Amino acid sequence: MFIVTYGRSGSTLLQNILNSIPGYCIRGENHNMLPHLAQSWRAATMAVENVLPEGTPDDPSQPWYGVGNIKPEIYGRTLANMFVRDVLAPPQGTRVAGFKEIRFHATEPMFWQSLDFITRFFPKTRLIFNTRNHEDVARSGWWKTWDKAEVFAELEKAEDLFERALQRYPKRAFAVKFEDYAGTPEAFEPLFQFLEEPFDLETVAALSKKRLTHLK
């Protein structure tokens, strides 16, 4: 599972709520590592598809000698497995692993490469798109040092990508908004239904009231 969002959106609360589900291990940010793996996989795919047309000799006299040995599907799956093992490192008993990231939208090409990589190599993956009122984001954290027009432009760019992704992956994607669930724990129930997980209102309510240390 992947929480796709931007900074100061309430996503850490969402992450904490999801980790209350037995067998879930949803990690925090990792400085956007996954898009680089996706880009590497995409490069391997392009090398095989575009560099070595059928019938091209593959010998030491060729500039792309050996490119025919690349197996993009195996390579991509290996990258995904290593990411789970060495980055997410889910504990024993984990049923659903994942993380949240605020940087997926940094560039549009890498955004789509990342989502294509995720949906291809992480079986039964779910994408949770989390947003927040732009005025509130602009008043929070490092965004306060930005020009407000630039903040709004950045958030609008991100949300345009999110909306298109929701349409592209309708069975795998779900959207939540901070204003809907902040102080309203029952608003998480549709998300739990989407995930096909039992909803424990008492637990979710208790976590919703907990002050997160990074906000102090």
Side-chain angles (χ1 to χ4, degrees), residues 42-116:
R42 179 59 182 153
T45 303
M46 292 176 65
V48 172
E49 291 179 350
N50 302 329
V51 173
L52 194 67
E54 187 175 351
T56 302
D58 188 20
D59 59 58
S61 69
Q62 300 299 315
W64 292 84
Y65 173 52
V67 73
N69 296 320
I70 298 174
K71 298 177 176 60
E73 194 73 14
I74 294 174
Y75 180 59
R77 190 176 303 112
T78 300
L79 289 174
N81 290 339
M82 287 193 302
F83 182 84
V84 173
R85 185 193 67 199
D86 299 329
V87 178
L88 298 183
Q92 188 173 4
T94 297
R95 294 187 296 115
V96 176
F99 70 98
K100 71 129 172 170
E101 184 56 74
I102 65 174
R103 302 169 181 86
F104 274 118
H105 67 280
T107 70
E108 181 168 349
M110 289 187 74
F111 177 84
W112 293 116
Q113 286 178 22
S114 298
L115 267 58
D116 287 345

Side-chain angles (χ1 to χ4, degrees), residues 13 16-17 185 200-211:
L13 170 59
N16 201 30
I17 295 293
D200 184 340
L201 178 57
E202 185 176 351
T203 297
V204 172
L207 290 171
S208 297
K209 293 176 182 177
K210 183 178 180 181
R211 176 69 173 174

Side-chain angles (χ1 to χ4, degrees), residues 9-179:
S9 64
S11 58
T12 303
L13 170 59
L14 176 58
Q15 169 190 307
N16 201 30
I17 295 293
L18 291 172
N19 277 308
S20 73
I21 302 174
Y24 273 51
C25 178
I26 310 302
R27 303 297 194 189
E29 300 158 32
N30 53 59
H31 218 280
N32 222 25
M33 291 178 63
L34 198 62
H36 301 286
L37 302 184
Q39 191 172 38
S40 180
W41 163 68
R42 179 59 182 153
T45 303
M46 292 176 65
V48 172
E49 291 179 350
N50 302 329
V51 173
L52 194 67
E54 187 175 351
T56 302
D58 188 20
D59 59 58
S61 69
Q62 300 299 315
W64 292 84
Y65 173 52
V67 73
N69 296 320
I70 298 174
K71 298 177 176 60
E73 194 73 14
I74 294 174
Y75 180 59
R77 190 176 303 112
T78 300
L79 289 174
N81 290 339
M82 287 193 302
F83 182 84
V84 173
R85 185 193 67 199
D86 299 329
V87 178
L88 298 183
Q92 188 173 4
T94 297
R95 294 187 296 115
V96 176
F99 70 98
K100 71 129 172 170
E101 184 56 74
I102 65 174
R103 302 169 181 86
F104 274 118
H105 67 280
T107 70
E108 181 168 349
M110 289 187 74
F111 177 84
W112 293 116
Q113 286 178 22
S114 298
L115 267 58
D116 287 345
F117 181 83
I118 286 169
T119 54
R120 188 181 191 98
F121 295 111
F122 292 89
K124 300 180 181 179
T125 193
R126 294 293 182 266
L127 302 165
I128 311 301
F129 293 92
N130 183 75
T131 59
R132 186 182 183 185
N133 176 273
H134 294 182
E135 285 283 355
D136 293 334
V137 172
R139 290 193 293 266
S140 182
W142 64 87
W143 293 112
K144 291 184 291 187
T145 66
W146 287 40
D147 177 80
K148 183 179 285 190
E150 292 181 359
V151 176
F152 281 26
E154 183 75 9
L155 301 181
E156 288 166 5
K157 178 186 77 171
E159 291 185 12
D160 174 67
L161 290 172
F162 298 173
E163 182 59 36
R164 284 190 277 155
L166 285 160
Q167 296 173 14
R168 184 167 180 170
Y169 307 104
K171 295 182 179 180
R172 294 191 175 198
F174 192 86
V176 295
K177 191 173 180 64
F178 178 75
E179 286 72 31

